[in-house]
Amino acid sequence: MKRIFSLVLAAAMGISAAFLTACSQQKENGSGYFVEFSMSEGFQVDGQVLSASRRAALQEKIGGLLQEIEDEVSVEKEGGDVARINAAGQNEQVFVGQHTQELLRQSQTLYDLTGGAFSPALYTVSDLWGFTPRFAGRYSQSREEPSAEAIEQALALSDFSDISLSENGEVSKKTGGVQLDFGGIAKGYMSDRIFSLLQTEYPEGQFDGTISVMSNSLLFGMVEDGDTVRGYNMRIDNPRKLTTGVSEALFAVGLSDVAVSTSADTYRFYVYGGTIYKHILDASTGRPSDNGVISITTIVPLSVPYAGTWADALSTAGFCMPLRGALVFYDTLFEEYGIGAVVLTSDFRYYVTGNFTVLNRKDYAALTKPELEESTENIFTFTPLEEAPETVIACEQEQEYIRAVAELTEQL
């Protein structure tokens, strides 16, 4: 059993880089791009499956687009926009490309919308905690917390309001040490740009199928299921698979024309003193988020401009709010934009905002495979929003998970 746990944990640690750099976990293929993306088999335009030649041509264009974005915004790309901004001194002007400009504009909108819970200016804090690319291969190593003085100094270099973008595309910083990282938003932005490319290639076209950029997905139209046509059924992964042995936590069903993104505490983290230190950092404290949330999935209608970008950023923002505040925030987003959220917590409860249908494992089995309903067990318990606790107390199952991870990381 320990060997199985070790393999699962090593796999989780291996894909952790996706959340802090725009294009980490890069994988080169024949098209010459590095960011992983996928298009569903049988992707349709106006009710017709794309031919092999059109599909190949479209994938090549998408690959070129993603490479173009990566060249501008990856924190690790020498000579790229973000690298030059981060290296710039106080009030030095850095001219940047269209993708960097748009990411800065969207970041400002989302920074304001979340009250600062989402910020792309936490690279210095992230580096302090050992979550930037230079620590690759060592993210899971148990270690003491940085000193309060070091955290305070890092926070002083992590104020997004210190960064300005002029109308002609020049970026400057009030504080030279402030550094950007679009890792919490770039994957969603890439999916939005793919959507724009599809609309350019097929004006007024109706799309049916899915496109994913790593942990972000766009679900277009409907899916054919035998003789019926229905919305998409999307699995929400179980962040506690390590000790429960179950891959799925919940299922969102009947989704159509939405962007979906999930953030969880199973990527780039370590355990020290019985506490999980996750890569998602709270801009108000300079520390890893610690509100009892272990996973957030956001569902954003494609009618919302930059739906993928918003889904990406909003799926992390709730980690940096008190649980009740996060649920109120997501509830407000539904009222204003139709955005939904599914929040899992360390007391093995789950909460749903919006009118999306989210089923537990047992109910989903009853819907899709009735013969398995009786043998299927739920992992998380549904809890109404009004019953959310002020402070989340980790349950024994969570403590078991933390102990298992701590033991295994000592062996890696």
Side-chain angles (χ1 to χ4, degrees), residues 233-288:
N233 296 338
M234 184 198 70
R235 184 182 88 173
I236 297 175
D237 288 338
N238 176 14
R240 297 302 178 255
K241 175 185 176 181
L242 179 66
T243 46
T244 63
V246 176
S247 298
E248 68 278 355
L250 306 164
F251 295 86
V253 302
L255 300 178
S256 179
D257 292 323
V258 294
V260 181
S261 178
T262 296
S263 295
D265 69 353
T266 50
Y267 305 94
R268 255 189 213 187
F269 70 95
Y270 68 92
V271 174
Y272 177 78
T275 298
I276 294 177
Y277 292 84
K278 55 185 75 78
H279 74 281
I280 300 174
L281 299 164
D282 188 333
S284 66
T285 66
R287 299 176 55 84

Side-chain angles (χ1 to χ4, degrees), residues 122 124-126 128-129 144-158 270 277 281-288:
L122 297 177
T124 302
V125 175
S126 179
L128 176 66
W129 286 92
E144 294 184 0
E145 295 185 2
S147 68
E149 181 182 6
I151 294 173
E152 183 179 356
Q153 291 173 349
L155 272 177
L157 300 176
S158 303
Y270 68 92
Y277 292 84
L281 299 164
D282 188 333
S284 66
T285 66
R287 299 176 55 84

Side-chain angles (χ1 to χ4, degrees), residues 28-39:
E28 186 172 11
N29 61 28
S31 297
Y33 62 88
F34 295 82
V35 181
E36 295 180 40
F37 80 92
S38 62
M39 177 184 293

Side-chain angles (χ1 to χ4, degrees), residues 218-398:
L218 302 181
L219 312 181
F220 296 104
M222 308 290 278
V223 60
E224 295 182 3
D225 186 4
D227 295 330
T228 64
V229 177
R230 59 167 174 79
Y232 295 88
N233 296 338
M234 184 198 70
R235 184 182 88 173
I236 297 175
D237 288 338
N238 176 14
R240 297 302 178 255
K241 175 185 176 181
L242 179 66
T243 46
T244 63
V246 176
S247 298
E248 68 278 355
L250 306 164
F251 295 86
V253 302
L255 300 178
S256 179
D257 292 323
V258 294
V260 181
S261 178
T262 296
S263 295
D265 69 353
T266 50
Y267 305 94
R268 255 189 213 187
F269 70 95
Y270 68 92
V271 174
Y272 177 78
T275 298
I276 294 177
Y277 292 84
K278 55 185 75 78
H279 74 281
I280 300 174
L281 299 164
D282 188 333
S284 66
T285 66
R287 299 176 55 84
S289 64
D290 186 26
N291 62 351
V293 171
I294 61 177
S295 172
I296 298 177
T297 297
T298 49
I299 305 169
V300 182
L302 293 182
S303 57
V304 175
Y306 290 95
T309 305
W310 279 41
D312 199 0
L314 295 175
S315 66
T316 61
F319 276 86
C320 303
M321 305 175 183
L323 175 61
R324 286 187 181 178
L327 295 175
V328 169
F329 170 69
Y330 289 125
D331 206 31
T332 301
L333 289 180
F334 176 71
E335 294 297 327
E336 189 165 354
Y337 301 102
I339 295 171
V342 183
V343 180
L344 306 182
T345 52
S346 62
D347 53 3
F348 277 49
R349 302 185 188 190
Y350 75 95
Y351 304 85
V352 180
T353 64
N355 65 351
F356 296 94
T357 301
V358 178
L359 301 181
N360 221 321
R361 298 180 71 248
K362 200 172 188 69
D363 293 330
Y364 186 73
L367 177 67
T368 58
K369 296 182 178 179
E371 69 275 12
L372 298 180
E373 179 185 3
E374 192 171 327
S375 61
T376 300
E377 294 183 359
N378 294 329
I379 304 300
F380 294 86
T381 301
F382 172 74
T383 305
L385 302 183
E386 61 271 15
E387 294 181 18
E390 200 157 315
T391 301
V392 178
I393 305 298
C395 63
E396 177 53 35
Q397 289 172 291
E398 177 71 359

Side-chain angles (χ1 to χ4, degrees), residues 84-222:
R84 292 187 297 113
I85 292 170
N86 289 349
Q90 183 181 20
N91 296 324
E92 182 180 344
Q93 301 291 317
V94 179
F95 182 79
V96 298
Q98 60 173 337
H99 300 301
T100 305
Q101 292 180 45
E102 195 53 54
L103 278 165
L104 282 169
R105 295 188 189 99
Q106 290 302 313
S107 292
Q108 185 64 62
T109 297
L110 289 158
Y111 179 82
D112 294 340
L113 181 68
T114 63
F118 167 78
S119 172
L122 297 177
Y123 190 84
T124 302
V125 175
S126 179
D127 193 65
L128 176 66
W129 286 92
F131 291 127
T132 53
R134 73 187 184 96
F135 294 95
R138 295 178 285 154
Y139 301 127
S140 63
Q141 290 180 357
S142 183
R143 49 195 181 269
E144 294 184 0
E145 295 185 2
S147 68
E149 181 182 6
I151 294 173
E152 183 179 356
Q153 291 173 349
L155 272 177
L157 300 176
S158 303
D159 188 349
F160 183 52
S161 63
D162 280 356
I163 296 177
S164 301
L165 172 67
S166 69
E167 291 185 3
N168 65 349
E170 289 184 332
V171 176
S172 62
K173 303 184 294 184
K174 295 178 184 177
T175 304
V178 174
Q179 297 194 351
L180 286 173
D181 183 351
F182 289 124
I185 194 174
K187 299 181 302 298
Y189 174 78
M190 289 174 178
S191 66
D192 288 328
R193 295 272 55 89
I194 293 174
F195 187 15
S196 296
L197 175 61
L198 286 173
Q199 292 173 314
T200 299
E201 293 291 313
Y202 302 98
E204 308 300 325
Q206 170 62 46
F207 307 120
D208 293 281
T210 65
I211 288 180
S212 297
V213 180
M214 302 175 80
S215 60
N216 293 67
S217 297
L218 302 181
L219 312 181
F220 296 104
M222 308 290 278

